[in-house]
Amino acid sequence: MSKPVKIIGIVAASLVLVIVAAMVLATILIDPNDYKDEISKAVHDKTGRQLTFDGDIKLSVFPWVGVTTGGVTLSNAPGFAEKNMFSLKSADISVKLLPLLSGEVQLRSVDVENLILNLMRNKVGVTNWADLTGKETVKKSDEKASESSTDGAKSNLKITLGGLNIENAKIVWDDRKENVRQSVDDCDVSIDGFVPGKPFNFKVHVLLSSTKPEIVADTNTSGSATLSSDFKSFSVKDLKVLMDAKGAAVPGGKGQISLTGNAALNLDAGTTDVSNLVLETYGMKAEGSFKGSGIGGDKLKFAGDLNIPGFNLKNTLEQMAMEVKTSSDQALTDVGLNFSIAGNAKSVSISNLLINLDETTFKGAASFANPDRPDITLALDVDKLNIDNYLPPSEAGKSVKAETKEASAVKSKGKEDLFPVEFLRKLTLKADLSVKQLIAGKANLTDVIVVARAKDGILNIKPLSLNAAKGAFTSTAVLSVAGKVPTMTFAGALTGLDGEALSQEMTGKDSFSGKMGFNTNLASKGNDIKTIIANLDGNIGFKVMDGYVSGFDILFLVGDAFSILTGGIIGSNNNNRTEFGEVTATAKINNGVAVNSDLVLKSPLLRGDGAGKMDLNKMILDYALDTKIVGSLEGQGGKSSKDLIGLTVPINITGPVADPSIMVDLPKFAIVLAKSGFSIVGNVLEGVGNALKGIEKTFTGKGGHKSTAEPDKNPVKGIGNAIKSLF
């Protein structure tokens, strides 16, 4: 080393020594407490605030430059409720002197006790710090901050921290303009020590409270973190977050959330990695992992997986005050979910989807792309699903009037839009659903298939098909919203349905039998129920072969009604069953009114012809059925039923579709009998009223001839109910 360099080194060292000595002497000779009043006065002159020192101020210079202070308070701005804006009980902070010369910041343990910061805004929108800042000051500060940020990005600041201890801190945001108060109370922060690039342990406790939303949450967080010196890379291991919350905004009024896992974020590389994530709350557990790249740029990519082991969803919902009642007590008691997810800034896909819903398994995949013009694909396979288990329990004793009121309530809402037109115009959809077995209304449906496609405002469902009770149903539907008004068409056909098998499935009884089939073609337009029904056009036809309806014997009831009207006796055995060989009908629908003129009912003893209409707009039925007797029964001590062959029993079916009145047209039936030579109870020519009066006496038992039917039954109504059951 040359002599000049040595001299320069000695001079520099001597200069540093002199400066340090001067600073040490300054701390010895100068007491900062002597200047507290002057500092307070300067603050008051500048801001109008009162700065108060409740304890001593201590300075240190070497080897640590630091300050220790007792209580300090800064008064609030005039017009605000809280007395002080800022206060603390004590604070101790110091930095090592010599490393500062080389650009390294070595902080000793920072200790802060009972820090309170009240941030407020009054009803006119003025904050309690507005008088401490100004537009120009803020602008210059922002410019300086921007410059500092730029400089910081170019440099690599070296900073270490011996430890951080914050005890019982409190920060309040009181917004009188929005009537919101939010605070962080009882805040305790503990950091063992910080060295860039090395892990450090931390613990944080806060009591969060808010009036909007109304919630109080006691939160504890801990873990081991690592932070790079440029603050662009951060990771945490063994993260643990436990929150106990209560309040109106918390589901169920109270709840606990536990979160554990590991996470890493690198801003330079634009990557993130979350692993071993476990979330537990309300009896549910979720496990997952997640990786991402291109964060902060236009090349975002991410992938992850989620697993929710089986749990009792019903109990979870009850804890969240979202109780769901189901017809089966076992429904929603074993629910699980598992899938993988991947995507980028414009699309996301779900693969290996597995949902366990009690005894049902869903498997499939899905994708979503282009939020501006959604492109959705879905493929879902279901093994067995019993929908009945998840429906609300049936309401026993629910009256027809109540059902009619509900129907009216639904009808009154008919002007609500059914289809999201703008969304459907942008939608591209490819959806495939298959259900191996579906139980609905106790009916056992198999091989349910739904294939849906949508593009350019046209939604096609082709097919929607299923098998039921040895029969097959298939249909197609098209909804177009490409034009100004949505239009729709539907075509469907059912073949080979076994009525007896269906009856056994749905009721457990052999109440109905016959091979059934129907076909229909419908078209309409509109975007609400009322308009769609009003524009409904099309046709429908059905056919039932070789069957029976249990629960009544229509010939027995006709004979009973004959006895009431004529006073004669026509007897027969009550087989409690009405057999038929064929029932067919077609109807044309125009503007929501279905008109039928060709109903035919054929059985060994009866022939029926019907015609009428059903107004779907008003849900009103107006139908007439003429039933002709073509077979004979053995008489019991009176006229033989052979005498009834050829007679026609007129039946009217009228009133609301939900609860129609089905009755024998007594005046017409009386005329038919009179023309056939039968004597009528009373005098039909003098007025049907007398006949009805005589029938009333028979029903009430107050006089007249009693029917061969049970005395407490109404035979004429019985005929109506029998026909009603048939329909």
Side-chain angles (χ1 to χ4, degrees), residues 284-350:
M284 180 194 73
K285 182 179 181 180
E287 305 166 334
S289 62
F290 179 86
K291 289 186 177 182
S293 62
I295 296 174
D298 56 358
K299 295 183 179 180
L300 174 67
K301 290 184 179 181
F302 58 87
D305 56 75
L306 177 67
N307 177 48
I308 300 178
F311 71 104
N312 192 322
L313 177 58
K314 184 172 288 187
N315 285 347
T316 296
L317 293 174
E318 288 177 358
Q319 293 178 48
M320 300 173 71
M322 300 168 62
E323 185 176 359
V324 175
K325 293 186 180 297
T326 57
S327 58
S328 171
D329 292 337
Q330 298 303 311
L332 304 177
T333 58
D334 186 8
V335 179
L337 171 67
N338 186 284
F339 65 85
S340 298
I341 186 170
N344 53 45
K346 292 187 177 181
S347 68
V348 60
S349 63
I350 294 175

Side-chain angles (χ1 to χ4, degrees), residues 232-234 264-272 295:
K232 293 184 178 181
S233 177
F234 174 78
L265 175 65
N266 190 317
L267 296 178
D268 271 339
T271 60
T272 185
I295 296 174

